[in-house]
Amino acid sequence: MSNKEVESPTLLHPMFTMVFMFVTQISIGMLAFQKYVYRESEHDAWISVVVAGLFAHVILFLIMKTLKRYQYQDLFHIHVRLFGKWFGGACNLIIICYWFSVSVYILRNYIEVLHIWIFAEVPVWVFTALFFALIIYALSGGLRVIGIVSLVNLLLVGWMAVLLYLPIRQAEWKLQLLPLMEASLGQIMMGSLAMGATLGGFEVVYYVSHRMKQPHRISTYAQLGLLFVNLLYVIVMLVSIGYYSEHQILNNSWGTLSLFKIVQFAFLERLEFVLIMLWLLIIVANLLVNYWIMTQGLHRVFNVKRKYACIVIMLMALVCNMLLKTGDQLAVVSGLVGKFSILFSFAYPVVIYIVAHIVECVRSRAKEA
Amino acid sequence: MYTLLILMVVTGCAESKIIDKLGILVAVGYDLTEEDSNDRIRTTVLSYKPGATSTSTVPTSASNNTSKGVREKLSLRTSTKEVIGQLRVAAYGEPLAREGIITLTDTFQRDSEIGTSVYLVVAKDSAEQLLNAKNKQQAGTGDYLYELVKKNIESGIVPSPTLHNFLNAYYRAGKDPVLPYIEVRGDEILISKLALMKDDRMIGSLNLSESFLVKAMMGSNHFLTHEIELNTDRLRKYYEPTFDKLYVTLSHIVTKSRIKLINKDTPEFHIQIQMKGEMEEISDLVNLEKAEVIHALQREAAETLKSEFEDVMKKLQTKQVDPVGFGSHYRSSVRVKDFTAKKWREMLKEAKFEFDVKVTFVNVGITS
Amino acid sequence: MSILNRLHDVFAENCQWTCRFFSIHGSTVHVMFLNNVADDELLSEGILRPLQKLDVHAVEQLTPDLLLGQLPLKKGELSHDLDQICHKLMLGWSYVWIQDCSEGLLMCTAAHHERTLSKAEIESDEYGPQVAFVEELSTNLALLYKLLPDSKLCVSSLEMGNVSKTVVNIVYLKEYANEDQVALLRSRISSLQHINGMLDSLKLAQLLDDNVATLFPTMLHTERPDRVCQGLLANKIALFVDGSPFAVLCPVTIYEFFHAGSDMYQRWIVGVLLRLLRMSAIIASVFVTSIYVAAITFHYQVIPPELLKTLIESHSKVPFPPILEALMLEVMIELLRESSIRMPSKVGQTMGVVGGIVIGQAAVEAGFVSNILLMIVALGTLSSFVVSNFAMGNSLQIIRFPLIVLAGTWGGIGIVVGASFIIIHLARQTSLGVPYLQPMNMLDSKTDEHSVLRMIWKLMKREKSSYRIRKPKEDFAE
């Protein structure tokens, strides 16, 4: 083989922003968000979903503003520029911990689904190792590979959305959705908060933006991606409200999966099994993005090789996954991660935006003086 | 490149469930046990067994306190591993159904293996008897029950009694489930009526024509045929009656109903029902060439149906059950906080129903 | 030692070696060639006859320069380099040497053992140019020039192989193809000089691959000139190896392996539908057996009741677990395929009968495999034949096996993990540095609109200006 190789294109089409947003937002949350939102705002839950979505759009706008100010550098870089090497590094570490908790939460919850539905007797570490084998293989290819894998995986799972038609046919919208706005504003907001935990993940643009061609186009694609995700969530929520009755939705921990139980074809039925299996693709794509961000962060903070960073994270994740043994432990952790998610997806970008604004103003004044 | 493959094979394979090594349950039946027994519930299962010549279903029974705990005992009676993922029909004996079945359906809902399109039925006397019965067609009882209920949902008087529909109605404050009521008469298995459920308890039944009317009120439906008795008094001027009564039979019926709450306080409902069908048979010789004759017949049919609807509603009101879901309509049009089934039952007793029935003969066949 | 003696030494053990001499004008002229390798007619008409008829009185001194003017052949040169002379003689040239001269004449008398142009056999198609490449490089290039007579068409020639001395041509369109990719290709080829023999373009393609450890071909070979032209117009580079009837196109994405030339010549709706059909057939051929195995072994829940009874009955007679049953049948089909390729075509018919009826029917009746599985495996195999590119077809056949094993041990999860692995693997591959799984038009807006599905010709950006006819659409037609 020759030594002189063409540099593989390191920059991606800005459309991949959309893909990354999709896979980080639709992870395990898509399978089981109805219950938590419905608990707060009852049959107006879909309004909560819409409200949370609108909030997300605003936050995303702020994120894009911040990124533009820093020429689309990633958040790790921004932290260092804002807070200096030491404090910025600490912030980066916190961010990495957040993504770590999210990745554990997603993987462990998915394994829980596999346990409930398909293989009850297979130990957690086997599944975890399986995922990690796939992740290491893809991660070594860099963001370009992750992007393509995410795109293909999304397309492979995306067609399942068409099957929602069958529960839609049985849904009684009129009886279930009316009267509108029966929940109080407070309830709707509480619902939105619950939804926010699921919707988190769009801050992925913070990390991938510097790897895109034509960064000025990212904003459009990001907003578009978020819009699609929001629409999907609203649709699934509407279908669930119409299809289930009041207490049924609260009883069901995996609302979206149960929607697919009634799908029947001449050669295949119980499509929820198919959905669970295909969902593995989404989970893989999601974890890939998570692990990519973490390895990038560790590489930045400690200047270690990405390879070793990745292995360290995986060992830690494996231990965490195995420590979570029962469903109720998992529920506690999930609740906690949900709160983190709201904090880091919705609150933190605002903080960063304001801090960046102040710091830059002060700095430019100092320069002038 | 194949490290992954090797990894998977080395870690061993998951527990396999090869279909011909399984006893696949297609129907289960639950009954109350004899009073002197320690156990609470007697379970009968019907499962596919690949036989030498053909695959047949074999019933097995055992008793226990919980419906799933009984598996332990059942497994002592069968050579294959019993699995429940292909369950199609769950039958409840009438005595059990009168005591309540929610704990038994709850386990279905909890079990990820079971789909939500399982049909729930009430069996006269005992489910064990039903599942052991032989039918005329010599088909497997499980398959036969499934096909029987399925056909009658699609084009008959049975509103869909799937697990999902049952739970949907059960968990909804303003609606009650109805289940088909299946009898064994000699060597015949048949749906004889509908069991009216109040929450999860059977409290009465609807006969065939009542069932038709109740299903007609539930949104849009298709029926294969229905016979309507007409009052002959006002029809005398159109034909020479040979018999005292006049019947018409409609086929390929499409019904549409619209329920509207017109008074919140009473409450009062306005129910508009449109029924379209081909008039296939009339029990007397009537010249149908004139449009006015057909119109008169349609009017009479509507009158008859209207009074029948009113009778059914009175019956439902006295029993305080609401299979149609008027409560849901009430809830969706009135902003009431903490709407409960208990409150609704009180209101239902006082509720008024106003029917507006419209019958249309799409055609009268190829002769006139 | 004279050149003559040295040549005699070199070719001492070659029985084709012939040396004739004439005495002209007092000096001896030697004509050396390899019998049968040099063309008899060219030799006698172009060298021997003119030498005999040479008007000896018109010249004072016989020199190589003078002879070169006298011999009516299209190529000839002066040479005294022994290596070069040996090489050319091996190619069928003749060496004319005048005694005691330092230089001799190399004349091209090479015989062309060329088969006539024929229809494309491997990539046969109903529409489009039917001609296929042959083993002769110059003919292949001529075919190409006929389709793309433009000065932008660049052909650069390289020689490789210590022994085979094969001519390799890199063909591309200037301003279309990426210069970096051409340079990369050239440097890769020149780093392969140590190789002994370069007998076919497929071997070259493998040596030029970005990644050795992949099952999938990352360079497309084709025997159709029109396919090569389509590739060249879509910014690709073509490689021709003398003696190989296949051209190699690179860089390519995986989607292009599933194209057929005629997609482009059909109506666009038909073209799109055919591509969709082909894509779904490929997915079916890879996954259908493993899905069956997974459903039967683990996921009895997903089988509808109508099908369940049939499946139970058909499998209950088989003593093996489904995974073994499926692997057995797949191996059997592979054997059939392989043997039918190697067999002479007349025996092929018998093979079909033996394979189809005897093995299939008998295996079912003996209770070795279930008839539903037989049908499913047949469906998978049939679907795999829609890929016109046999290198890709073989790769797809092979990945079925690990998938079946995964399905038999881990059910649907196994299949999805396998699929995920394949996707990641494909995503990691590059062809000349171009991502393999990524549609071309996502990389660069002006490369290839046809990569996954095909575009309507008229809507294509590049073709737009030439023939886009717009009718004013104000109302329905009268």
Side-chain angles (χ1 to χ4, degrees):
Chain A
M1 240 354 92
S2 71
N3 300 321
K4 199 187 129 204
E5 296 284 332
V6 167
E7 277 284 298
S8 60
T10 45
L11 297 183
L12 289 99
H13 195 279
M15 192 219 66
F16 278 108
T17 329
M18 205 155 97
V19 174
F20 290 131
M21 307 251 315
F22 251 105
V23 293
T24 44
Q25 287 192 273
I26 306 176
S27 55
I28 204 75
M30 183 51 108
L31 301 181
F33 69 104
Q34 294 97 328
K35 179 181 168 183
Y36 305 99
V37 187
Y38 197 90
R39 201 157 54 193
E40 306 294 343
S41 48
E42 296 181 354
H43 63 262
D44 287 324
W46 66 277
I47 301 177
S48 296
V49 179
V50 173
V51 170
L54 290 178
F55 267 112
H57 277 290
V58 174
I59 305 282
L60 185 61
F61 178 73
L62 292 184
I63 292 178
M64 295 316 299
K65 277 270 181 198
T66 321
L67 281 174
K68 199 171 176 189
R69 187 189 288 277
Y70 289 99
Q71 291 84 42
Y72 299 98
Q73 296 283 4
D74 63 357
L75 185 63
F76 299 123
H77 187 91
I78 295 175
H79 272 152
V80 175
R81 282 220 11 213
L82 275 180
F83 306 125
K85 195 180 168 202
W86 288 105
F87 190 57
C91 282
N92 287 347
L93 215 55
I94 293 170
I95 292 281
I96 292 166
C97 289
Y98 157 63
W99 282 103
F100 178 75
S101 69
V102 170
S103 74
V104 169
Y105 153 77
I106 286 167
L107 183 55
R108 187 61 187 85
N109 264 303
Y110 182 67
I111 293 175
E112 186 73 9
V113 176
L114 289 182
H115 274 168
I116 292 175
W117 252 274
I118 300 173
F119 295 126
E121 73 282 6
V122 177
V124 174
W125 69 267
V126 174
F127 281 130
T128 319
L130 209 67
F131 271 100
F132 287 169
L134 286 175
I135 289 169
I136 289 179
Y137 189 49
L139 216 54
S140 59
L143 192 64
R144 183 181 59 79
V145 170
I146 296 172
I148 300 174
V149 170
S150 305
L151 176 66
V152 174
N153 286 4
L154 264 184
L155 291 178
L156 284 180
V157 185
W159 65 273
M160 294 286 289
V162 179
L163 298 179
L164 279 177
Y165 170 71
L166 285 132
I168 284 174
R169 235 176 28 175
Q170 289 203 12
E172 296 168 289
W173 310 101
K174 213 183 124 202
L175 294 187
Q176 296 292 347
L177 290 179
L178 292 175
L180 286 181
M181 288 300 288
E182 202 174 18
S184 66
L185 203 64
Q187 279 178 308
I188 292 213
M189 281 303 157
M190 287 307 285
S192 305
L193 209 59
M195 187 61 209
T198 311
L199 213 53
F202 53 84
E203 72 274 23
V204 71
V205 281
Y206 265 144
Y207 311 95
V208 296
S209 58
H210 70 291
R211 296 292 305 277
M212 302 286 166
K213 269 186 255 176
Q214 303 160 309
H216 58 278
R217 283 168 71 192
I218 296 174
S219 181
T220 326
Y221 279 110
Q223 295 283 4
L224 212 61
L226 187 59
L227 185 70
F228 277 132
V229 174
N230 283 333
L231 275 181
L232 197 61
Y233 271 116
V234 172
I235 288 169
V236 173
M237 193 74 213
L238 279 172
V239 175
S240 306
I241 296 173
Y243 178 73
Y244 298 118
S245 60
E246 297 100 64
H247 296 284
Q248 217 179 355
I249 205 168
L250 293 176
N251 261 345
N252 204 328
S253 305
W254 302 100
T256 312
L257 288 178
S258 299
L259 281 181
F260 285 87
K261 280 196 175 213
I262 59 150
V263 181
Q264 289 188 340
F265 293 128
F267 51 92
L268 202 66
E269 59 173 31
R270 304 285 300 283
L271 268 282
E272 92 262 25
F273 281 92
V274 180
L275 183 70
I276 290 170
M277 290 164 195
L278 286 182
W279 210 256
L280 188 139
L281 297 175
I282 294 274
I283 299 292
V284 165
N286 182 306
L287 289 178
L288 278 178
V289 178
N290 274 357
Y291 277 85
W292 184 79
I293 292 171
M294 283 189 272
T295 49
Q296 287 289 317
L298 284 179
H299 176 70
R300 183 67 56 86
V301 176
F302 298 114
N303 204 14
V304 287
K305 271 192 176 172
R306 294 186 184 85
K307 206 189 325 185
Y308 303 127
C310 173
I311 289 167
V312 169
I313 301 168
M314 280 183 176
L315 286 177
M316 276 160 62
L318 184 65
V319 173
C320 289
N321 274 331
M322 284 167 74
L323 284 178
L324 294 170
K325 285 204 177 70
T326 59
D328 47 325
Q329 288 171 354
L330 195 59
V332 173
V333 172
S334 303
L336 212 61
V337 173
K339 292 202 178 74
F340 284 158
S341 178
I342 294 169
L343 202 66
F344 280 97
S345 297
F346 286 85
Y348 193 61
V350 182
V351 174
I352 284 284
Y353 176 73
I354 295 170
V355 170
H357 195 72
I358 294 170
V359 168
E360 291 302 317
C361 279
V362 170
R363 277 184 193 164
S364 62
R365 288 252 176 87
K367 227 178 237 172
E368 278 170 28
Chain B
M1 188 174 158
Y2 291 110
T3 37
L4 185 77
L5 181 69
I6 293 162
L7 181 80
M8 281 190 102
V9 177
V10 165
T11 48
C13 52
E15 183 196 11
S16 67
K17 295 172 180 168
I18 303 171
I19 52 165
D20 58 322
K21 307 279 185 293
L22 299 174
I24 296 173
L25 302 193
V26 279
V28 292
Y30 297 109
D31 288 303
L32 288 179
T33 47
E34 307 292 318
E35 275 174 17
D36 52 345
S37 137
N38 289 326
D39 302 318
R40 201 168 61 90
I41 292 160
R42 181 161 180 80
T43 305
T44 309
V45 300
L46 207 57
S47 58
Y48 279 133
K49 296 279 156 60
T53 50
S54 69
T55 304
S56 50
T57 49
V58 183
T60 323
S61 304
S63 309
N64 207 347
N65 284 317
T66 57
S67 65
K68 290 285 171 67
V70 80
R71 282 182 188 174
E72 200 180 334
K73 286 186 181 170
L74 280 175
S75 74
L76 298 175
R77 285 158 212 260
T78 54
S79 62
T80 49
K81 190 159 86 183
E82 304 291 303
V83 289
I84 203 164
Q86 280 279 354
L87 187 67
R88 300 290 157 187
V89 179
Y92 301 92
E94 191 181 333
L96 178 69
R98 285 191 183 273
E99 285 195 4
I101 57 172
I102 187 62
T103 52
L104 295 171
T105 51
D106 182 63
T107 158
F108 285 165
Q109 184 194 9
R110 215 167 277 288
D111 194 337
S112 66
E113 287 230 331
I114 299 175
T116 47
S117 30
V118 180
Y119 294 140
L120 309 184
V121 301
V122 176
K124 193 185 178 192
D125 300 332
S126 93
E128 187 175 355
Q129 191 193 337
L130 173 67
L131 297 189
N132 279 301
K134 290 272 171 290
N135 55 326
K136 273 183 183 168
Q137 282 98 328
Q138 302 290 325
T141 313
D143 295 341
Y144 180 76
L145 275 175
Y146 173 66
E147 296 294 336
L148 177 74
V149 177
K150 190 176 172 188
K151 193 207 75 186
N152 279 295
I153 293 165
E154 278 160 11
S155 60
I157 54 156
V158 181
S160 177
T162 60
L163 180 63
H164 170 74
N165 294 111
F166 176 82
L167 292 170
N168 191 308
Y170 174 80
Y171 284 121
R172 198 187 284 193
K175 196 176 177 182
D176 288 308
V178 274
L179 300 178
Y181 185 89
I182 297 185
E183 267 183 54
V184 182
R185 283 191 198 146
D187 56 355
E188 216 177 14
I189 298 175
L190 64 127
I191 301 175
S192 58
K193 48 192 177 184
L194 289 186
L196 273 177
M197 312 293 281
K198 190 176 199 169
D199 293 334
D200 63 326
R201 284 166 294 117
M202 174 175 166
I203 48 121
S205 62
L206 295 170
N207 65 25
L208 295 183
S209 74
E210 285 167 342
S211 306
F212 171 81
L213 298 168
V214 168
K215 197 177 174 187
M217 280 190 273
M218 296 173 164
S220 25
N221 282 303
H222 292 258
F223 299 91
L224 208 57
T225 53
H226 186 63
E227 185 183 282
I228 307 167
E229 184 189 332
L230 303 182
N231 190 335
T232 48
D233 292 346
R234 273 163 295 181
L235 292 172
R236 263 169 216 292
K237 54 181 173 182
Y238 300 116
Y239 81 108
E240 292 290 318
T242 27
F243 305 101
D244 296 343
K245 286 177 176 170
L246 183 66
Y247 297 94
V248 290
T249 300
L250 293 185
S251 69
H252 302 110
I253 305 168
V254 182
T255 63
K256 256 183 203 157
S257 77
R258 279 177 68 187
I259 301 172
K260 233 187 191 165
L261 182 71
I262 48 172
N263 188 340
K264 289 180 190 177
D265 307 323
T266 331
E268 192 174 346
F269 291 94
H270 178 85
I271 304 144
Q272 192 186 37
I273 293 174
Q274 281 187 0
M275 193 178 289
K276 285 179 187 171
E278 293 171 21
M279 200 206 73
E280 210 160 56
E281 190 177 345
I282 186 158
S283 67
D284 216 329
L285 283 171
V286 183
N287 188 347
L288 296 170
E289 257 173 43
K290 284 181 188 155
E292 54 184 307
V293 182
I294 294 176
H295 288 164
L297 286 172
Q298 286 177 347
R299 249 192 330 270
E300 283 307 313
E303 282 299 313
T304 316
L305 284 171
K306 191 178 168 187
S307 66
E308 282 177 357
F309 275 123
E310 277 157 5
D311 292 344
V312 171
M313 275 324 296
K314 283 216 182 73
K315 182 175 175 181
L316 293 177
Q317 274 177 300
T318 49
K319 289 193 188 285
Q320 292 190 343
V321 287
D322 181 12
V324 183
F326 288 106
S328 291
H329 284 277
Y330 180 80
R331 194 203 59 83
S332 67
S333 354
V334 184
R335 287 173 193 271
V336 271
K337 284 276 160 189
D338 52 333
F339 178 84
T340 59
K342 208 174 163 192
K343 276 188 192 166
W344 172 243
R345 290 198 200 290
E346 290 307 313
M347 284 160 98
L348 184 68
K349 245 189 340 194
E350 307 300 321
K352 287 203 180 99
F353 299 93
E354 186 184 294
F355 286 92
D356 171 13
V357 186
K358 202 177 164 200
V359 178
T360 316
F361 298 166
V362 178
N363 60 46
V364 291
I366 52 172
T367 55
S368 57
Chain C
M1 210 158 97
S2 72
I3 287 182
L4 184 64
N5 293 340
R6 276 152 70 191
L7 281 172
H8 270 303
D9 287 349
V10 172
F11 290 104
E13 289 173 39
N14 195 330
C15 66
Q16 307 282 8
W17 170 248
T18 317
C19 181
R20 280 201 59 179
F21 54 89
F22 299 87
S23 274
I24 303 165
H25 214 42
S27 53
T28 320
V29 177
H30 297 263
V31 178
M32 288 160 271
F33 55 91
L34 289 177
N35 199 11
N36 293 338
V37 183
D39 191 63
D40 284 349
E41 201 182 321
L42 279 176
L43 198 64
S44 57
E45 290 297 322
I47 299 177
L48 301 182
R49 197 183 296 270
L51 279 180
Q52 282 172 347
K53 287 190 175 174
L54 200 64
D55 187 3
V56 287
H57 305 292
V59 291
E60 307 121 43
Q61 177 69 37
L62 204 58
T63 59
D65 283 323
L66 182 102
L67 269 183
L68 189 60
Q70 293 292 326
L71 300 181
L73 283 168
K74 71 176 174 188
K75 271 193 258 177
E77 56 193 66
L78 292 173
S79 176
H80 57 93
D81 178 11
L82 189 71
D83 285 344
Q84 195 195 3
I85 295 165
C86 290
H87 178 205
K88 292 284 185 190
L89 282 173
M90 290 304 288
L91 291 176
W93 290 45
S94 306
Y95 189 55
V96 182
W97 182 62
I98 305 160
Q99 188 93 38
D100 299 328
C101 268
S102 62
E103 280 186 323
L105 273 178
L106 267 176
M107 301 303 300
C108 178
T109 52
H112 280 274
H113 300 289
E114 189 182 331
R115 73 181 156 102
T116 49
L117 292 177
S118 59
K119 279 181 80 169
E121 290 283 329
I122 294 164
E123 289 171 79
S124 61
D125 217 327
E126 52 210 312
Y127 299 108
Q130 298 291 327
V131 70
F133 288 131
V134 291
E135 281 80 358
E136 185 59 40
L137 181 61
S138 52
T139 318
N140 293 349
L141 285 178
L143 283 172
L144 207 60
Y145 276 117
K146 196 180 155 201
L147 287 172
L148 292 177
D150 193 294
S151 59
K152 285 204 196 82
L153 188 69
C154 302
V155 181
S156 60
S157 181
L158 294 164
E159 194 173 273
M160 62 191 305
N162 284 335
V163 180
S164 70
K165 309 228 170 22
T166 318
V167 180
V168 174
N169 280 1
I170 304 175
V171 182
Y172 55 94
L173 282 172
K174 213 178 224 162
E175 293 162 30
Y176 280 69
N178 186 331
E179 290 296 330
D180 294 340
Q181 287 168 2
V182 176
L184 175 68
L185 203 58
R186 208 170 293 196
S187 75
R188 278 192 194 174
I189 289 177
S190 52
S191 71
L192 286 173
Q193 287 306 333
H194 59 275
I195 214 154
N196 275 332
M198 175 53 59
L199 301 178
D200 194 81
S201 53
L202 289 179
K203 183 177 177 185
L204 179 65
Q206 278 184 47
L207 289 165
L208 298 176
D209 261 349
D210 292 26
N211 182 3
V212 186
T214 177
L215 197 57
F216 298 92
T218 50
M219 292 191 183
L220 179 88
H221 63 86
T222 178
E223 56 167 0
R224 294 175 67 98
D226 62 321
R227 191 87 191 264
V228 173
C229 290
Q230 274 173 21
L232 290 178
L233 286 170
N235 308 0
K236 292 189 200 337
I237 306 164
L239 285 173
F240 287 87
V241 174
D242 194 11
S244 166
F246 289 104
V248 171
L249 278 175
C250 57
V252 286
T253 58
I254 189 168
Y255 309 101
E256 278 149 70
F257 286 89
F258 309 135
H259 294 181
S262 64
D263 290 354
M264 290 297 173
Y265 309 129
Q266 311 250 24
R267 303 286 310 161
W268 70 271
I269 300 177
V270 181
V272 166
L273 289 177
L274 280 177
R275 284 223 175 141
L276 282 177
L277 176 76
R278 222 171 285 138
M279 292 270 179
S280 35
I282 285 152
I283 291 170
S285 86
V286 173
F287 289 107
V288 74
T289 319
S290 42
I291 288 174
Y292 171 84
V293 170
I296 288 264
T297 321
F298 293 101
H299 310 294
Y300 71 95
Q301 300 101 328
V302 300
I303 306 166
E306 293 82 4
L307 214 60
L308 185 67
K309 246 175 142 174
T310 334
L311 284 180
I312 292 178
E313 269 174 28
S314 94
H315 194 259
S316 63
K317 300 186 191 86
V318 182
F320 309 114
I323 170 175
L324 217 63
E325 189 191 349
L327 284 177
M328 224 156 62
L329 205 56
E330 289 280 0
V331 169
M332 224 136 80
I333 297 244
E334 285 302 298
L335 287 177
L336 266 177
R337 254 165 58 96
E338 185 61 19
S339 53
S340 61
I341 292 172
R342 307 283 162 243
M343 287 237 179
S345 58
K346 280 179 186 148
V347 195
Q349 292 254 328
T350 335
M351 281 301 305
V353 176
V354 171
I357 298 170
V358 180
I359 297 182
Q361 194 67 26
V364 170
E365 279 184 8
F368 251 56
V369 291
S370 62
N371 40 17
I372 294 182
L373 180 70
L374 188 70
M375 202 198 75
I376 282 176
V377 171
L379 176 74
T381 313
L382 193 65
S383 311
S384 74
F385 288 136
V386 298
V387 189
S388 58
N389 187 295
F390 65 82
M392 184 49 100
N394 287 341
S395 307
L396 293 177
Q397 286 278 334
I398 292 167
I399 52 174
R400 286 154 75 162
F401 287 91
L403 281 173
I404 291 172
V405 173
L406 283 173
T409 47
W410 285 90
I413 290 295
I415 299 177
V416 179
V417 168
S420 178
F421 180 76
I422 292 170
I423 292 167
I424 295 174
H425 179 76
L426 289 175
R428 284 171 56 100
Q429 301 311 314
T430 51
S431 169
L432 274 192
V434 171
Y436 190 48
L437 196 61
Q438 196 169 10
M440 283 288 222
N441 45 13
M442 275 179 54
L443 294 169
D444 192 350
S445 55
K446 61 177 192 324
T447 41
D448 188 5
E449 287 91 340
H450 304 290
S451 56
V452 181
L453 295 174
R454 61 159 285 197
M455 280 283 291
I456 308 169
W457 282 118
K458 287 189 186 178
L459 294 186
M460 273 182 60
K461 282 178 201 139
R462 199 180 296 155
E463 316 274 336
K464 183 160 55 180
S465 52
S466 54
Y467 54 90
R468 191 173 202 185
I469 307 156
R470 261 242 171 98
K471 283 182 198 153
K473 272 208 167 171
E474 284 154 6
D475 196 6
F476 294 140
E478 271 175 45

